[in-house]
C-alpha cells in the first residue's frame, strides 16, 4: 500500500514539535489534502491537538507496545483514503525506553516503518553550531532516516546563510524555517500540555501559524519527501485463529466514559473492541445522571478527574449507578483517572478529599512528583483476570497521584531496570489500576473484556427470563 508520509522529530522535548506539527497539518488541510496524523509513543494529549486540526481521530504508533508487522499494519490501515500521513516524534529523536536505548524512540518508529524523518532544530541561541549539531544526529546511526531539517525560532536574516552552510557541508536539504511566533504557544500542566479546548482562540492561532508556515516552509518539498517513502504491507498480520480474530457470539453493549474528565483514550483500542463485537456507548460521569440502559460492561479510561472532582462528587446518582451495576456483577474496567474515580475518596488539585464511586476501598491522593511513570511490562499474579488466563502485556504509567490501595494482582516491571512493583485489582469482573493498556500489544486484554461482558449478558438474560417465569 502506497502511504506518502514523513516524520517530524527533534533533538529534545520542548523543541516545538507539537506546534509545528499542528501548523503543518493545517497547511496541508488548507491545501485540500486528506491528512492522517500519528503520534510516536503513548502520549494522549498531542493526538488531541492533531485531531482538532484534521477533524478526524489521530492515532498512536508505539514500537514498545507492538511488533513491527502489527505497527506497519496499523499505519497502513489508518491511512486508507488519505493523501499524506504526518507522524510526530517523541522526546529527542534517539531517546528510548530505559533512557539508554533507542527502543520505542522516534528513530525506531522511522526505521520500522521506513519513514523519512525531518529534524526540527531549535536554533535559539545558535548560529554555525547548528551544523555540527545536525551532523551528530545524521551520523549517530546508519541509516539515520533523517532526510531534511526545519529550523525553528530562526531569524529570517540569518536563515539564508545557515541554510547554505547546512546544505553545502552536510548535503541535507533544509525544508524551511519557523520564526518566533509568541502568540502561538501551547501551555503545559502536570500531565503535559493543556487540552485543545482550553487554548483560547486555538483555531485563529492555528490559522495564523499556518499562514506563516506556508510562507517560510518548503511545503512542496515536504510532500515530495513524503512520496519517496516505500510502500507498506497492508494485509492483516495475524492468523485466523489468533486472539486478534476473536468475535463475540452476540454483540455486547459497553459504556465508555467520555467527557472532560475522562478523555485519555486510544482510538485503536476502541476500534479493536468494536471488531471483537462490542457496541460502545459513550456517557459522561460529569453530566449524565446514570449509566446508559442495557449495558453489559463499563470502561473508565484516564484523564483529569482531579480537575473536575467537585462535579464528579456532586453527581451522586452516577456514582451510585456505577457502584450498583458493579455489585450486580457488571464488568468494570478502569485505568489511571478512571481508577482514581472508583475509590472511596479521591483528592482534587487542592488536596481536598471528595467522594468517589466506592468500589476500591481507600483513597487516591496527590503527590508532589511523578512516582511511577514510563513503559512497563505487566504480568498477572492470578490465574484468572476477568475470567480468563492472560500472558504478560506491555503498558505504561504516568500520574502524579497515588493510592492507598493500588492493587496486588499484577507485577509491573520497568524495562532495562530492576525496578518493579505490584499493582492492579483484578477479579472475575474487575480490572482496575493506574497502568494504561494498549490492546494491540496483547489482544487477550480486549478479548477478555468482551468475553466477560458476554458472560454477564448471558447471566443477566437468564436472570430476567427466570423472573418472567415466576
Amino acid at each position: 500500500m502506497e502511504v506518502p508520509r514523513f516524520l517530524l522529530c527533534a533533538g529534545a522535548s520542548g523543541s516545538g514539535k507539537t506546534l509545528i506539527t499542528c501548523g503543518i497539518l493545517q497547511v496541508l488541510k488548507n491545501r485540500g489534502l486528506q491528512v492522517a496524523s500519528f503520534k510516536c509513543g503513548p502520549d494522549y494529549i498531542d493526538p488531541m491537538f492533531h485531531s482538532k486540526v484534521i477533524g478526524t481521530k489521530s492515532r498512536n504508533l508505539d514500537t514498545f507496545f507492538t511488533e513491527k508487522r502489527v505497527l506497519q499494519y496499523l499505519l497502513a490501515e489508518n491511512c486508507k483514503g488519505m493523501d499524506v500521513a504526518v507522524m510526530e516524534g517523541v522526546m529527542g529523536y534517539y531517546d528510548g525506553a530505559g533512557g539508554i536505548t533507542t527502543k520505542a524512540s522516534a528513530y525506531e518508529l522511522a526505521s520500522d516503518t521506513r519513514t523519512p524523518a525531518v529534524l526540527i532544530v531549535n536554533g535559539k541561541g545558535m548560529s554555525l553550531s547548528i551544523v555540527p549539531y545536525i551532523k551528530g544526529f545524521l551520523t549517530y546511526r546508519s541509516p539515520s532516516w533523517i532526510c531534511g531539517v526545519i529550523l525553528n525560532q530562526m531569524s529570517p536574516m540569518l536563515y539564508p546563510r545557515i541554510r547554505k552552510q547546512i546544505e553545502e557541508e552536510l548535503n541535507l536539504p533544509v525544508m524551511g524555517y519557523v520564526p518566533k511566533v509568541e502568540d502561538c504557544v501551547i501551555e503545559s500542566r502536570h500531565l503535559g500540555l493543556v487540552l485543545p479546548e482550553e487554548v483560547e482562540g486555538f483555531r485563529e492561532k492555528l490559522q495564523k501559524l499556518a499562514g506563516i508556515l506556508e510562507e517560510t516552509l518548503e511545503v512542496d518539498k515536504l510532500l515530495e519527501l513524503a512520496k519517496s517513502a516505500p510502500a507498506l504491507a497492508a494485509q492483516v498480520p495475524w492468523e485466523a485463529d489468533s486472539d486478534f480474530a476473536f468475535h463475540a457470539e452476540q454483540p455486547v453493549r459497553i459504556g465508555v466514559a467520555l467527557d472532560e474528565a475522562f478523555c485519555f483514550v486510544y482510538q485503536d483500542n476502541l476500534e479493536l473492541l468494536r471488531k471483537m463485537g462490542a457496541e460502545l456507548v459513550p456517557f459522561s460521569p460529569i453530566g449524565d445522571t446514570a449509566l446508559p440502559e442495557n449495558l453489559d460492561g463499563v470502561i473508565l479510561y484516564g484523564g483529569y478527574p482531579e480537575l473536575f472532582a467537585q462535579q464528579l462528587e456532586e453527581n451522586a446518582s452516577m456514582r451510585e449507578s456505577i457502584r450498583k451495576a458493579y455489585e450486580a456483577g457488571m464488568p468494570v474496567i478502569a485505568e489511571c483517572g478512571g481508577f482514581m474515580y472508583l475509590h472511596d475518596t479521591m483528592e482534587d488539585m487542592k488536596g481536598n478529599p471528595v467522594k468517589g464511586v466506592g468500589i476500591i476501598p481507600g483513597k487516591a491522593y496527590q503527590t508532589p512528583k511523578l512516582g511511577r511513570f514510563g513503559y512497563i511490562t505487566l504480568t498477572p499474579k492470578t490465574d484468572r483476570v476477568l475470567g480468563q488466563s492472560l500472558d504478560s502485556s506491555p503498558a505504561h504509567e504516568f500520574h502524579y497521584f497515588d493510592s492507598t490501595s493500588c492493587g496486588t494482582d499484577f507485577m509491573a516491571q520497568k524495562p532495562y531496570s530492576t525496578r518493579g512493583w505490584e499493582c492492579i485489582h483484578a477479579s472475575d469482573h474487575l480490572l482496575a489500576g493506574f497502568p494504561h493498556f494498549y490492546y494491540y500489544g496483547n489482544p487477550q486484554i480486549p478479548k477478555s473484556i468482551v468475553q466477560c461482558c458476554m458472560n454477564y449478558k448471558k447471566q443477566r438474560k437468564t436472570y430476567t427470563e427466570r423472573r418472567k417465569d415466576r
Side-chain angles (χ1 to χ4, degrees):
M1 179 178 174
E2 297 293 335
V3 181
R5 61 193 183 276
F6 59 87
L7 182 147
L8 295 167
C9 60
S13 296
S15 299
K17 290 191 302 292
T18 300
L19 192 62
I20 292 174
T21 299
C22 288
I24 290 174
L25 290 172
Q26 188 66 58
V27 168
L28 299 176
K29 186 178 178 184
N30 290 349
R31 289 188 172 201
L33 298 175
Q34 295 295 314
V35 188
S37 70
F38 300 87
K39 173 66 180 180
C40 173
D43 184 272
Y44 290 101
I45 300 177
D46 287 354
M48 292 184 194
F49 279 92
H50 298 182
S51 299
K52 194 76 172 178
V53 180
I54 63 178
T56 58
K57 295 298 184 181
S58 179
R59 309 296 176 117
N60 294 73
L61 294 171
D62 194 304
T63 60
F64 182 82
F65 288 155
T66 57
E67 59 180 73
K68 184 176 178 179
R69 61 180 189 151
V70 175
L71 187 82
Q72 291 192 358
Y73 164 77
L74 290 171
L75 174 57
E77 181 73 9
N78 289 316
C79 283
K80 287 181 177 178
M82 298 292 110
D83 297 313
V84 62
V86 179
M87 299 151 69
E88 180 189 346
V90 59
M91 299 176 64
Y93 184 51
Y94 293 109
D95 296 336
I100 54 171
T101 75
T102 59
K103 180 64 182 174
S105 65
Y107 163 75
E108 187 174 60
L109 177 61
S111 181
D112 280 2
T113 60
R114 296 180 294 167
T115 298
V118 178
L119 183 68
I120 296 170
V121 177
N122 190 333
K124 184 179 180 181
M126 283 197 291
S127 57
L128 186 60
S129 295
I130 290 174
V131 178
Y133 178 86
I134 296 170
K135 184 177 181 180
F137 281 89
L138 288 174
T139 59
Y140 184 66
R141 289 285 188 271
S142 182
S144 71
W145 299 95
I146 296 173
C147 300
V149 64
I150 291 173
L151 303 178
N152 188 25
Q153 295 202 62
M154 172 58 59
S155 161
M157 298 284 290
L158 183 60
Y159 171 68
R161 289 173 283 170
I162 295 298
R163 173 178 182 166
K164 183 173 182 293
Q165 293 294 129
I166 293 170
E167 294 186 337
E168 288 183 354
E169 294 192 36
L170 303 179
N171 193 30
L172 182 71
V174 180
M175 303 291 188
Y177 74 99
V178 181
K180 188 173 183 180
V181 188
E182 293 185 354
D183 57 348
C184 293
V185 176
I186 304 174
E187 301 297 330
S188 297
R189 65 165 162 238
H190 62 290
L191 290 183
L193 300 175
V194 298
L195 302 183
E197 291 76 12
E198 300 174 81
V199 180
E200 186 176 352
F202 178 67
R203 291 285 187 190
E204 293 76 13
K205 291 178 178 180
L206 197 60
Q207 286 293 356
K208 177 182 177 179
L209 178 61
I212 293 170
L213 298 186
E214 188 70 75
E215 296 294 325
T216 64
L217 295 185
E218 303 281 352
V219 180
D220 291 335
K221 283 188 177 181
L222 284 172
L223 291 173
E224 285 301 314
L225 180 64
K227 291 176 183 177
S228 73
L232 291 171
Q235 68 268 23
V236 173
W238 50 79
E239 295 73 25
D241 59 349
S242 163
D243 288 320
F244 280 112
F246 168 80
H247 195 278
E249 304 165 25
Q250 304 173 30
V252 293
R253 279 171 55 89
I254 301 178
V256 180
L258 290 172
D259 59 15
E260 306 95 314
F262 303 99
C263 51
F264 290 179
V265 181
Y266 292 127
Q267 292 303 313
D268 284 320
N269 278 5
L270 301 183
E271 289 303 319
L272 189 51
L273 287 172
R274 291 189 180 102
K275 288 177 181 178
M276 290 183 171
E279 175 193 352
L280 303 182
V281 185
F283 72 96
S284 170
I286 293 178
D288 295 334
T289 56
L291 288 172
E293 295 182 353
N294 300 318
L295 292 184
D296 304 308
V298 174
I299 299 178
L300 297 139
Y301 292 118
Y304 286 116
E306 63 271 25
L307 298 180
F308 302 92
Q310 194 65 40
Q311 295 97 310
L312 291 169
E313 181 184 52
E314 290 172 354
N315 194 350
S317 61
M318 173 58 79
R319 292 188 288 109
E320 183 180 11
S321 178
I322 295 172
R323 185 177 65 256
K324 285 186 174 180
Y326 171 74
E327 290 171 350
M330 183 182 291
V332 174
I333 291 83
E335 296 180 354
C336 204
F339 170 59
M340 289 163 54
Y341 177 54
L342 293 187
H343 281 67
D344 289 332
T345 62
M346 58 168 280
E347 290 182 353
D348 63 14
M349 286 300 294
K350 295 180 180 179
N352 301 315
V354 299
K355 292 180 181 177
V357 173
I359 292 175
I360 302 296
K363 178 178 71 173
Y365 59 93
Q366 190 176 4
T367 64
K369 61 181 181 179
L370 286 169
R372 300 182 299 279
F373 66 96
Y375 291 116
I376 51 177
T377 297
L378 291 171
T379 303
K381 295 173 61 183
T382 175
D383 292 337
R384 313 295 281 179
V385 177
L386 298 178
Q388 307 292 318
S389 176
L390 295 184
D391 296 330
S392 294
S393 302
H396 77 101
E397 287 195 35
F398 193 91
H399 50 89
Y400 280 82
F401 281 69
D402 209 329
S403 168
T404 59
S405 181
C406 288
T408 59
D409 293 316
F410 279 72
M411 189 68 194
Q413 182 64 50
K414 293 282 289 181
Y416 312 103
S417 171
T418 58
R419 189 182 177 206
W421 56 85
E422 292 180 325
C423 58
I424 301 182
H425 295 262
S427 70
D428 59 349
H429 69 296
L430 178 68
L431 182 63
F434 276 115
H436 298 273
F437 288 95
Y438 183 76
Y439 296 163
Y440 277 92
N442 181 358
Q444 293 174 336
I445 299 294
K447 176 184 176 181
S448 297
I449 293 172
V450 173
Q451 185 64 60
C452 187
C453 292
M454 183 74 246
N455 293 339
Y456 172 72
K457 180 177 183 175
K458 290 178 180 178
Q459 294 170 6
R460 183 162 55 88
K461 185 177 180 180
T462 301
Y463 175 74
T464 303
E465 289 174 349
R466 286 176 179 173
R467 290 197 65 180
K468 286 181 180 179
D469 291 340
R470 289 178 180 174

